[in-house]
Amino acid sequence: MSKFKIEKTDEEWKEQLSDEQYWVLRNKGTERPHSGKYNLHFENGTYVCAGCHQPLFESNSKFDAHCGWPSFDDSIKGTVEYVIDKSHGMMRTEIICSNCGGHLGHVFNDGPTQTGTRFCVNSLSIDFKKDEQ
């Protein structure tokens, strides 16, 4: 039985995603800091998983952490799972989409808002859906 609602083969993911998105979402890659289109993006709407389009973050939870990646202080309940990441000689908490298992980034306990958390997300792992007026 599958852990995620959406399961695809590597070939199916490669057909759907750009090479860069595949590298981040399926191989746990990280885009260069300050290179992502959503780093300094502050429109009203919802950020969704680039792999399966599940809503992940509301725009009112986004802030500029000056770290070079989109940062959020909270996720939409139930949409993000947490995985211990011991890669690169560090102990971090990876965040993945609960619907398809796509790698989003990492979460840290150094956020400046009331939640105290900073979800550090790759722009390549998300898309944006603007609020309808």
Short mmCIF file of all heavy atoms in Angstrom, two decimals, residues 44-72:
data_model
loop_
_atom_site.label_atom_id
_atom_site.label_comp_id
_atom_site.label_asym_id
_atom_site.label_seq_id
_atom_site.Cartn_x
_atom_site.Cartn_y
_atom_site.Cartn_z
N ASN A 44 -1.35 38.15 -2.83
CA ASN A 44 -2.32 37.38 -2.04
C ASN A 44 -2.74 36.14 -2.81
O ASN A 44 -3.11 36.22 -3.98
CB ASN A 44 -3.55 38.23 -1.73
CG ASN A 44 -3.25 39.33 -0.74
OD1 ASN A 44 -2.37 39.20 0.11
ND2 ASN A 44 -3.97 40.42 -0.85
N GLY A 45 -2.67 35.01 -2.14
CA GLY A 45 -3.05 33.75 -2.76
C GLY A 45 -2.54 32.57 -1.96
O GLY A 45 -2.24 32.68 -0.77
N THR A 46 -2.40 31.44 -2.67
CA THR A 46 -2.01 30.20 -2.04
C THR A 46 -0.85 29.58 -2.81
O THR A 46 -0.88 29.53 -4.04
CB THR A 46 -3.20 29.21 -2.01
OG1 THR A 46 -4.29 29.84 -1.33
CG2 THR A 46 -2.84 27.92 -1.29
N TYR A 47 0.13 29.11 -2.09
CA TYR A 47 1.27 28.41 -2.69
C TYR A 47 0.95 26.92 -2.66
O TYR A 47 0.59 26.38 -1.60
CB TYR A 47 2.56 28.72 -1.93
CG TYR A 47 2.95 30.17 -2.05
CD1 TYR A 47 2.44 31.13 -1.19
CD2 TYR A 47 3.83 30.58 -3.04
CE1 TYR A 47 2.79 32.47 -1.31
CE2 TYR A 47 4.19 31.93 -3.17
CZ TYR A 47 3.66 32.85 -2.30
OH TYR A 47 4.01 34.17 -2.43
N VAL A 48 1.07 26.27 -3.81
CA VAL A 48 0.70 24.86 -3.95
C VAL A 48 1.93 24.04 -4.36
O VAL A 48 2.90 24.58 -4.89
CB VAL A 48 -0.43 24.67 -4.98
CG1 VAL A 48 -1.68 25.46 -4.57
CG2 VAL A 48 0.02 25.05 -6.38
N CYS A 49 1.86 22.75 -4.14
CA CYS A 49 2.94 21.86 -4.54
C CYS A 49 3.05 21.85 -6.06
O CYS A 49 2.04 21.68 -6.76
CB CYS A 49 2.66 20.44 -4.03
SG CYS A 49 3.86 19.21 -4.56
N ALA A 50 4.25 22.03 -6.60
CA ALA A 50 4.46 22.02 -8.05
C ALA A 50 4.27 20.62 -8.63
O ALA A 50 4.04 20.48 -9.83
CB ALA A 50 5.85 22.55 -8.39
N GLY A 51 4.33 19.60 -7.79
CA GLY A 51 4.16 18.24 -8.27
C GLY A 51 2.72 17.79 -8.37
O GLY A 51 2.33 17.13 -9.32
N CYS A 52 1.91 18.15 -7.36
CA CYS A 52 0.53 17.63 -7.32
C CYS A 52 -0.53 18.72 -7.13
O CYS A 52 -1.71 18.43 -7.11
CB CYS A 52 0.39 16.59 -6.22
SG CYS A 52 0.49 17.27 -4.54
N HIS A 53 -0.11 19.95 -6.93
CA HIS A 53 -1.00 21.11 -6.80
C HIS A 53 -1.78 21.16 -5.49
O HIS A 53 -2.74 21.92 -5.36
CB HIS A 53 -1.94 21.24 -8.00
CG HIS A 53 -1.22 21.18 -9.30
ND1 HIS A 53 -0.38 22.19 -9.73
CD2 HIS A 53 -1.16 20.21 -10.25
CE1 HIS A 53 0.15 21.85 -10.88
NE2 HIS A 53 -0.29 20.66 -11.22
N GLN A 54 -1.37 20.37 -4.50
CA GLN A 54 -2.01 20.46 -3.19
C GLN A 54 -1.66 21.81 -2.55
O GLN A 54 -0.49 22.21 -2.53
CB GLN A 54 -1.53 19.34 -2.26
CG GLN A 54 -2.00 19.53 -0.83
CD GLN A 54 -1.70 18.35 0.06
OE1 GLN A 54 -2.62 17.64 0.41
NE2 GLN A 54 -0.44 18.14 0.44
N PRO A 55 -2.64 22.56 -2.03
CA PRO A 55 -2.34 23.80 -1.32
C PRO A 55 -1.46 23.52 -0.10
O PRO A 55 -1.72 22.58 0.66
CB PRO A 55 -3.72 24.30 -0.89
CG PRO A 55 -4.67 23.67 -1.85
CD PRO A 55 -4.08 22.31 -2.15
N LEU A 56 -0.39 24.34 0.07
CA LEU A 56 0.57 24.13 1.15
C LEU A 56 0.68 25.31 2.11
O LEU A 56 0.74 25.12 3.32
CB LEU A 56 1.96 23.85 0.56
CG LEU A 56 2.11 22.65 -0.35
CD1 LEU A 56 3.46 22.68 -1.05
CD2 LEU A 56 1.94 21.36 0.46
N PHE A 57 0.75 26.53 1.55
CA PHE A 57 0.98 27.73 2.35
C PHE A 57 0.09 28.86 1.87
O PHE A 57 -0.05 29.08 0.66
CB PHE A 57 2.45 28.19 2.22
CG PHE A 57 3.46 27.16 2.57
CD1 PHE A 57 4.09 26.43 1.58
CD2 PHE A 57 3.80 26.91 3.89
CE1 PHE A 57 5.05 25.47 1.90
CE2 PHE A 57 4.74 25.95 4.22
CZ PHE A 57 5.37 25.23 3.22
N GLU A 58 -0.49 29.60 2.81
CA GLU A 58 -1.27 30.79 2.47
C GLU A 58 -0.31 31.99 2.44
O GLU A 58 0.67 32.03 3.18
CB GLU A 58 -2.36 31.04 3.51
CG GLU A 58 -3.43 29.96 3.56
CD GLU A 58 -4.28 29.86 2.31
OE1 GLU A 58 -4.25 30.79 1.47
OE2 GLU A 58 -5.00 28.86 2.17
N SER A 59 -0.62 32.96 1.59
CA SER A 59 0.27 34.11 1.44
C SER A 59 0.42 34.91 2.73
O SER A 59 1.46 35.53 2.95
CB SER A 59 -0.22 35.03 0.31
OG SER A 59 -1.54 35.47 0.56
N ASN A 60 -0.57 34.88 3.61
CA ASN A 60 -0.46 35.65 4.86
C ASN A 60 0.54 35.03 5.84
O ASN A 60 0.87 35.65 6.86
CB ASN A 60 -1.81 35.86 5.52
CG ASN A 60 -2.49 34.56 5.94
OD1 ASN A 60 -1.95 33.47 5.76
ND2 ASN A 60 -3.68 34.68 6.48
N SER A 61 1.06 33.84 5.52
CA SER A 61 2.09 33.23 6.37
C SER A 61 3.50 33.44 5.81
O SER A 61 4.48 33.03 6.42
CB SER A 61 1.82 31.73 6.55
OG SER A 61 2.04 31.03 5.34
N LYS A 62 3.60 34.14 4.67
CA LYS A 62 4.90 34.36 4.02
C LYS A 62 5.57 35.61 4.59
O LYS A 62 4.91 36.59 4.88
CB LYS A 62 4.72 34.50 2.51
CG LYS A 62 6.04 34.48 1.74
CD LYS A 62 5.78 34.34 0.25
CE LYS A 62 7.05 34.13 -0.53
NZ LYS A 62 8.11 35.05 -0.27
N PHE A 63 6.89 35.55 4.73
CA PHE A 63 7.64 36.71 5.18
C PHE A 63 9.03 36.67 4.54
O PHE A 63 9.47 35.64 4.04
CB PHE A 63 7.74 36.78 6.71
CG PHE A 63 8.49 35.63 7.33
CD1 PHE A 63 9.85 35.76 7.65
CD2 PHE A 63 7.87 34.42 7.61
CE1 PHE A 63 10.55 34.72 8.22
CE2 PHE A 63 8.57 33.37 8.19
CZ PHE A 63 9.91 33.52 8.49
N ASP A 64 9.72 37.80 4.56
CA ASP A 64 11.07 37.88 4.01
C ASP A 64 12.06 37.59 5.12
O ASP A 64 12.30 38.42 5.99
CB ASP A 64 11.33 39.25 3.40
CG ASP A 64 12.68 39.35 2.71
OD1 ASP A 64 13.43 38.36 2.69
OD2 ASP A 64 12.98 40.44 2.18
N ALA A 65 12.66 36.40 5.08
CA ALA A 65 13.62 36.00 6.10
C ALA A 65 15.04 36.41 5.72
O ALA A 65 15.97 36.15 6.48
CB ALA A 65 13.56 34.49 6.31
N HIS A 66 15.19 37.02 4.55
CA HIS A 66 16.51 37.44 4.07
C HIS A 66 17.49 36.26 3.97
O HIS A 66 18.69 36.43 4.12
CB HIS A 66 17.11 38.54 4.95
CG HIS A 66 16.18 39.71 5.13
ND1 HIS A 66 15.95 40.61 4.11
CD2 HIS A 66 15.42 40.09 6.18
CE1 HIS A 66 15.08 41.51 4.54
NE2 HIS A 66 14.74 41.23 5.78
N CYS A 67 16.95 35.06 3.71
CA CYS A 67 17.79 33.87 3.61
C CYS A 67 17.99 33.43 2.16
O CYS A 67 18.82 32.57 1.89
CB CYS A 67 17.20 32.72 4.43
SG CYS A 67 15.60 32.13 3.83
N GLY A 68 17.21 34.01 1.24
CA GLY A 68 17.37 33.67 -0.17
C GLY A 68 16.35 32.68 -0.70
O GLY A 68 16.36 32.36 -1.90
N TRP A 69 15.46 32.19 0.16
CA TRP A 69 14.41 31.27 -0.26
C TRP A 69 13.07 31.75 0.29
O TRP A 69 13.03 32.44 1.31
CB TRP A 69 14.68 29.86 0.28
CG TRP A 69 15.86 29.19 -0.34
CD1 TRP A 69 15.90 28.49 -1.51
CD2 TRP A 69 17.18 29.14 0.19
NE1 TRP A 69 17.17 28.02 -1.74
CE2 TRP A 69 17.98 28.41 -0.71
CE3 TRP A 69 17.79 29.65 1.33
CZ2 TRP A 69 19.33 28.17 -0.51
CZ3 TRP A 69 19.14 29.42 1.54
CH2 TRP A 69 19.89 28.68 0.63
N PRO A 70 11.98 31.37 -0.36
CA PRO A 70 10.66 31.71 0.19
C PRO A 70 10.54 31.16 1.61
O PRO A 70 10.91 30.02 1.87
CB PRO A 70 9.68 31.01 -0.75
CG PRO A 70 10.45 30.82 -2.02
CD PRO A 70 11.87 30.63 -1.61
N SER A 71 10.02 31.99 2.52
CA SER A 71 9.88 31.59 3.91
C SER A 71 8.45 31.80 4.38
O SER A 71 7.83 32.83 4.08
CB SER A 71 10.83 32.39 4.79
OG SER A 71 12.17 32.13 4.43
N PHE A 72 7.96 30.85 5.15
CA PHE A 72 6.60 30.89 5.69
C PHE A 72 6.68 30.55 7.17
O PHE A 72 7.55 29.79 7.60
CB PHE A 72 5.72 29.84 4.98
CG PHE A 72 5.66 30.01 3.49
CD1 PHE A 72 6.61 29.42 2.67
CD2 PHE A 72 4.65 30.75 2.90
CE1 PHE A 72 6.57 29.57 1.29
CE2 PHE A 72 4.60 30.91 1.52
CZ PHE A 72 5.56 30.32 0.72
#
